[in-house]
Each structure stands twice: as C-alpha cells, then as structure tokens.
Amino acid sequence: MAAKKMKCVKVEKKGGIAWVWLNRPEKRNAMSPQLHYEMDETLKVLETDPATRVVVIAGAGGYFSAGQDLKEFFRANENNPAGRKAAAEAANRWRWERLYKYDKPTIAMIEGYCVGGAFMQLCAVDFAITADDTVFSLSEVNWGILPGALVSKVVSDTIMPRKALYYCCLGEPFDGVEAEKIGFVNFSVPKEELVDKTIELAQKLMAKSPAVLRATKHAVRQVRTMDFDQSYDYLAAKGQAIKVGDEQDSYNTGLSQFLDKKSYKPTFEPFALKKGKKAAKKKAAKKTAKKKATKKKAGKKTARRR
C-alpha cells in the first residue's frame, strides 16, 4: 500500500491507530469509483498490518462524506455495465462485507456532512463518534430514488423503526445530537473534542485482549440473527476458538491476575496485556546487553586498580 500512490484515500498511522481518510475534500468526500477501489485495498492491507490495532474511518477537510458522487458513480457509468458492476462491487465490499466482519476494531469519526451512501460504512463500523453540528441526511427520496445498496436495511437495523421510516421517507436532515438520541452513533461531542474523544475510545479498545475483543464483536453481530439454540452453540464454539493461538492466553492470564495476584478489578478495567514475543525478545536482548556492559565496565575498573 505504501508503494502505491493513492489519490482518494490517505492513511496516517500513530500509536497503534490507523487513520483512514476519505480524501476528496473538494467534493466533500463524495465517493467515486476510484475512492471505492482504494478504500477496498487499504482496508484489506490494514487488517493484517501488525502496526495497526484500531482503524478509524474519517473524512479529510472536515467532511465525513456527502455520499456517492452522482456524476462519477452513477451517470458516468450509465452506458458502461461492466464499469458500473465493478464499482458497485468494490463499494459494497469495503463499506459492508469488509468492515462488518473486520478482524480489528473500527471507529467512524464523523463531522461536516454524512449523507446517503455514507450511512453504509457508518452502520458497518463497530463504533461511531460525531460532532454535534454534523449534518446527517438520507435525501434520496428528494431526488427520485430510494436509499439503495444496503442503506435501507442497515439503517432499519441500527435505529428505531419509526425513526428509520421518518428520515428515509422525508429526507429531512438531523444533527449529531439527534443521531446519538436515536442510537445511530455512540457519542455526539462538541467539534473541538471530536479527535480527542476518538483517540480516547481507541486507546480503551487497545487495552483489551485483541483475540477476545475480536471474538466478542463478531459474536455480538452474529447472534442478532440467530435463535437461542443457535446462539448457545455458536457462542460455545467461539469461546473455545479464542484460546487457539491467543498470544495473551487471555482466559488464564485474566483469572490469574484477578484471583492470584489481585492486580486488577475486572468490573472497572481489563487485565494487563502480556508483551508480545517481539517485545519480550527485545527486552531480553536489552537486559543481556546491559549485563555485558556492566561486566565490561567492572573489568575495566579492575584492570585500572591493578
């Protein structure tokens, strides 16, 4: 990804967070086919990137996204069935299939405008934080179509049914405060607090066991469409799966720190994560080097005394 120059997406990594910016600020980050292709590839790479522990989706220039670029996504492909199909597949893949089942926690940081097609990635991410003055709008009914792709479905699944009907059928805008009230986002905050609040949430997520966090978010999503018997079986299998290849050995580590060491209170905080294998090797190497340096220094002092 680093070697490939992207025009419509920008990635910044810092402290375990990968900030993925929709980067068409001159168009209020309206989504073109090229943006969809670049976002699809970017998320694919970041999912297995060891330096990325949380992914934040945001928009450059103070706008989350004004939805699909009507000219480039729709009109330009009217007489190009192959191009339209490819663009639609990429758009739906990153905005739903990738994000909804993503292995790492995801956060949408929303400001400016969040319109139409942008509701898909908003509903697909795990968490969402918005500025109070963000303008949300499902305006499709006002220009002659319905909220397509999966927008109608995911909005209906995310917020209260009558609110979904109201905003889909009337196309009226609403702000971040209302978005929090109807369960569309986790928090609505003053714009100047938006970045700090997003980082705070990301840091809380990074303090959890990655294996347990991944399994938990997948489980919460999947059991929504299962009956009770299916949920019992699925959650039992998921619980066992956590223990396979879990670097933290989360179950035993958490119990030991709570019962034996009494070093934390699980009601209020997570257990302390173990250092990864690389970090442990690095620490051991530093310790060895320090011992050698001390030994060498002591040898020099002995030689001087003689």
Side-chain angles (χ1 to χ4, degrees), residues 98-248:
R98 282 204 194 283
L99 278 178
Y100 191 75
K101 298 176 182 176
Y102 212 64
D103 274 350
K104 295 174 180 177
T106 54
I107 304 171
M109 187 179 79
I110 307 151
E111 58 184 324
Y113 287 88
C114 180
V115 178
F119 278 35
M120 259 180 77
Q121 61 260 37
L122 167 56
C123 293
V125 295
D126 302 317
F127 308 96
I129 300 176
T130 185
D132 291 338
D133 61 356
T134 299
V135 176
F136 293 85
S137 174
L138 274 175
S139 59
E140 281 84 343
V141 70
N142 292 335
W143 50 278
I145 70 166
L146 56 74
L150 284 177
V151 176
S152 295
K153 162 67 174 168
V154 298
V155 169
S156 299
D157 282 350
T158 304
I159 65 175
M160 294 173 275
R162 291 196 184 279
K163 290 291 187 180
L165 270 173
Y166 184 89
Y167 288 117
C168 287
C169 291
L170 275 77
E172 289 185 0
F174 55 97
D175 63 13
V177 177
E178 172 71 358
E180 181 180 340
K181 282 181 184 175
I182 63 178
F184 212 38
V185 300
N186 295 95
F187 306 107
S188 181
V189 299
K191 191 169 185 174
E192 60 272 16
E193 297 175 17
L194 185 60
V195 173
D196 288 342
K197 190 71 175 175
T198 303
I199 293 172
E200 179 188 328
L201 176 56
Q203 288 174 339
K204 286 180 179 179
L205 291 167
M206 288 189 286
K208 313 294 181 185
S209 159
V212 177
L213 183 59
R214 179 171 56 251
T216 301
K217 79 188 196 78
H218 286 171
V220 170
R221 288 190 181 280
Q222 294 302 319
V223 296
R224 292 185 66 202
T225 56
M226 296 179 186
D227 62 30
F228 291 106
D229 290 335
Q230 290 171 329
S231 297
Y232 272 128
D233 292 341
Y234 174 84
L235 292 170
K238 201 72 173 171
Q240 287 300 315
I242 292 173
K243 299 174 183 178
V244 180
D246 179 10
E247 190 179 77
Q248 298 296 325

Side-chain angles (χ1 to χ4, degrees), residues 247-248 273-287:
E247 190 179 77
Q248 298 296 325
L273 297 177
K274 293 178 182 177
K275 297 287 184 184
K277 289 179 182 177
K278 286 184 180 178
K281 282 182 182 178
K282 196 174 179 182
K283 190 176 179 182
K286 277 186 179 180
K287 198 173 180 181

